[in-house]
Amino acid sequence: MAADRTDPVVGTPHGAVRGRYEQGVAVFRGIPYAAPPFGPRRFRPPEPPDPWDGVRDATAFGPTAPKPPYSEAFARYLSDPGIPGDDCLNLNVWTPQPDPGARLPVLVWIHGGALTRGSSAVPVYDGSAFARDGVVCVSLNYRLGVEGYGLFPDAPPNAGLRDQYAALRWVHEAIAAFGGDPDRITLCGQSAGAISAGALLAAPQTRGLIRRAVLQSGPPEASDRDKVRRVVRRMAARLKIPATAEAFAAVDRDLLLRAQAEAGRLSGPVLGGPAFGLVVDGDLVPRDPLRALLDGAAPGVGLLMGWTRDEYRLWLVPGGLHEHVDRIGPVALAGAMARCRVGPEVPRGYRALRPDAGAAETVGQMITDHLLRVPLHRLADARPGGSYIYEFAWPSNLPGLGACHALELGFVFGTGDLPEARKLAGENAPRALRDAMHAAWVRFATTGDPGWQAWDDSHPVRVFDGGVPYTAYGTLDEAMALWTAAPRVSEPAPGGAVRAPGAELAAAVRRLRRSVGALRH
């Protein structure tokens, strides 16, 4: 193509859009894939956008979904720009060749943020490096918090997941015009985005839409309906309204966000309080996604899955929670047992594996394994030969963070030089590591092989640290043995009674939440 290319124009199912070239990459931002989800559409499944005449400008990010800001402690490390406007169901495309004949592999990115924060406008998610390496990159917004995941008696659940499915359908129908191959779509997400990608992968409706999937620091899962419903009821009590979609739709948006932030104050991976999540709905999520995938859903879809070595440090370090957990060690350990639904055998096993670890590290590793590593390990075991596992082990240059949750993102996207990536990684992150990790994702999206041994009985894990990446074997086997052997203490005993230790541990978790609540105030 000529160096003085004019702004690219591409047709979509709803009208033409004009992007622009940025350093050799054609970029289209803010393309609506669904109608604004407000007014009569609020809390309803997404609907197609109204078609437009002429050529729509697509040079700026579109509005982001309503969301509360990060607390000051987390905002030090994570960027989350907010763009006002109702037309928040939009997506962005980076492509090296907006030509229907190009037929390039496609990577579709679903952002994380606990289903309450984040957007496709986060600078770290810039898809230019993927496009320069021959992969069409798409990122999308979806409804968050109570707007996307509130559970009501008068509205369908999982609205945010339905938004993601609508975006995936749009990509399958429209991406060829941008140079992409609709038969080579890799669905990729991190944290809540990975949980979402896993659910979409398991959904019967997506059969044939997804060729490969990348799950970063998030397993396929469905949340307990009562847990999600409790968040809505807490919000309703604060707002003094019924816990219905009709009543919530009449509340001022900013007031709703403030109530949401307060109701979810003690939620999170460590505390496990009421939080928004995907629920089994008999439709897009007909059963637990992990169980569906273990039983053979999405046959033939290749998987790249992994975690960061110190996921928990992003949950514990901001605000001084790490030191606080060390101070209240026995209570924290009892709370972790309740969170993971296990007896004392498991923390004893972790202390034997890591005798020098304090309470915070033991709690953090237990919960990380319970939430992330163990289910992804099980999923790889169920799909040998087509699964690849990685661990990101490079520690941040900022004190205390280690190889924490979300640290790998600047490396995957090749955006580590941006100020927003340095907020988490610090200065002088290793470029060679960024190049190696980004290249593995490009190779997986292109060929299905990221460049190391597929999962088998030897349990190969590709380790990305400050040196040359290497493959380790059986790195989780000892921890997995603990979880496999440990009896679950909060499951119903014969006759329906709950075993006593479960109630005792639940009381410990309540004490831990009260303790942390006092710290946060």
Side-chain angles (χ1 to χ4, degrees):
M1 291 187 180
D4 58 348
R5 290 173 290 188
T6 58
D7 291 341
V9 175
V10 170
T12 80
H14 307 105
V17 292
R18 177 182 287 108
R20 66 185 175 200
Y21 283 101
E22 299 176 2
Q23 298 181 331
V25 170
V27 185
F28 302 81
R29 298 182 174 93
I31 305 172
Y33 66 83
F38 299 106
R41 301 188 186 96
R42 203 170 184 192
F43 299 106
R44 311 306 301 176
E47 299 177 9
D50 292 331
W52 58 87
D53 296 323
V55 179
R56 181 182 181 122
D57 181 78
T59 58
F61 286 114
T64 54
K67 56 189 173 179
Y70 279 117
S71 68
E72 183 178 348
F74 279 92
R76 291 174 53 198
Y77 301 108
L78 302 173
S79 295
D80 192 13
I83 302 172
D86 285 354
D87 208 358
C88 62
L89 299 185
N90 58 72
L91 51 75
N92 319 293
V93 181
W94 289 262
T95 175
Q97 192 176 349
D99 177 351
R103 306 292 287 186
L104 298 169
V106 181
L107 185 143
V108 177
W109 174 251
I110 304 178
H111 69 79
L115 300 179
T116 58
R117 294 178 175 87
S119 79
S120 65
V122 173
V124 175
Y125 306 152
D126 185 284
S128 298
F130 278 108
R132 284 194 291 270
D133 288 330
V135 176
V136 177
C137 183
V138 181
S139 63
L140 59 102
N141 290 335
Y142 55 95
R143 278 174 283 183
L144 302 170
V146 72
E147 301 274 3
Y149 299 93
L151 192 54
F152 299 101
D154 55 339
N158 298 326
L161 187 70
R162 295 172 192 274
D163 295 342
Q164 296 165 9
Y165 172 58
L168 183 61
R169 292 286 311 180
W170 185 98
V171 171
H172 197 262
E173 295 169 7
I175 205 63
F178 292 85
D181 184 346
D183 294 325
R184 285 200 291 168
I185 293 174
T186 297
L187 186 63
C188 183
Q190 184 266 347
S191 193
I195 293 171
S196 301
L200 290 172
L201 186 63
Q205 294 89 330
T206 66
R207 186 80 175 265
L209 299 183
I210 303 167
R211 180 76 168 272
R212 304 179 184 99
V214 183
L215 308 182
Q216 299 175 215
S217 300
E221 68 176 18
S223 295
D224 178 75
R225 294 177 71 92
D226 288 338
K227 183 177 179 179
V228 179
R229 194 176 285 114
R230 283 200 300 274
V231 186
V232 174
R233 288 173 176 167
R234 287 185 179 187
M235 291 180 65
R238 291 182 179 279
L239 296 167
K240 297 181 172 57
I241 60 172
T244 64
E246 181 182 14
F248 272 61
V251 176
D252 173 79
R253 201 175 299 172
D254 290 337
L255 181 59
L256 202 62
L257 289 176
R258 288 196 293 272
Q260 175 182 302
E262 184 60 29
R265 186 171 55 86
L266 294 182
S267 65
V270 175
L271 299 174
F276 294 107
L278 310 179
V279 297
V280 173
D281 59 17
D283 178 22
L284 194 58
V285 189
R287 58 187 299 213
D288 179 82
L290 178 59
R291 174 49 55 191
L293 291 169
L294 291 175
D295 289 345
V301 176
L303 295 178
L304 172 58
M305 306 179 287
W307 48 78
T308 69
R309 180 167 292 175
D310 306 311
E311 299 270 6
Y312 66 94
R313 288 185 175 270
L314 186 65
W315 310 330
L316 293 180
V317 169
L321 190 55
H322 191 281
E323 292 81 2
H324 185 67
V325 170
D326 273 339
R327 286 196 299 271
I328 60 168
V331 171
L333 286 169
M337 290 160 57
R339 179 79 176 92
C340 300
R341 303 189 304 278
V342 294
E345 303 88 354
V346 171
R348 279 202 298 266
Y350 275 79
R351 286 195 293 267
L353 292 174
R354 305 177 180 88
D356 297 329
E361 183 176 347
T362 300
V363 166
Q365 291 290 359
M366 273 182 61
I367 292 176
T368 296
D369 288 352
H370 168 67
L371 295 179
L372 300 177
R373 296 188 182 105
V374 170
L376 292 179
H377 194 291
R378 290 176 61 205
L379 187 52
D381 278 344
R383 303 168 76 98
S387 300
Y388 297 85
I389 299 293
Y390 74 89
E391 177 176 272
F392 182 83
W394 178 78
S396 169
N397 285 324
L398 297 179
L401 288 180
C404 69
H405 191 68
L407 181 59
E408 88 282 10
L409 293 172
F411 296 83
V412 167
F413 279 88
T415 53
D417 290 335
L418 295 179
E420 292 81 6
R422 295 199 299 270
K423 287 176 69 173
L424 199 59
E427 301 294 331
N428 302 316
R431 286 175 176 264
L433 177 60
R434 178 192 66 190
D435 294 345
M437 197 165 195
H438 174 71
W441 265 239
V442 169
R443 182 170 171 172
F444 182 73
T446 303
T447 70
D449 179 354
W452 63 88
Q453 182 179 343
W455 191 259
D456 59 19
D457 290 343
S458 67
H459 296 171
V461 176
R462 191 67 162 180
V463 179
F464 293 93
D465 61 12
V468 176
Y470 62 92
T471 301
Y473 295 86
T475 58
L476 260 187
D477 288 354
E478 290 179 306
M480 281 294 299
L482 291 174
W483 292 99
T484 302
R488 298 298 172 126
V489 300
S490 59
E491 295 174 348
V498 175
R499 298 186 180 109
E504 295 169 5
L505 295 182
V509 126
R510 288 193 293 271
R511 292 197 300 273
L512 176 60
R513 288 178 185 156
R514 286 195 297 269
S515 174
V516 172
L519 175 69
R520 291 186 174 180
H521 280 298

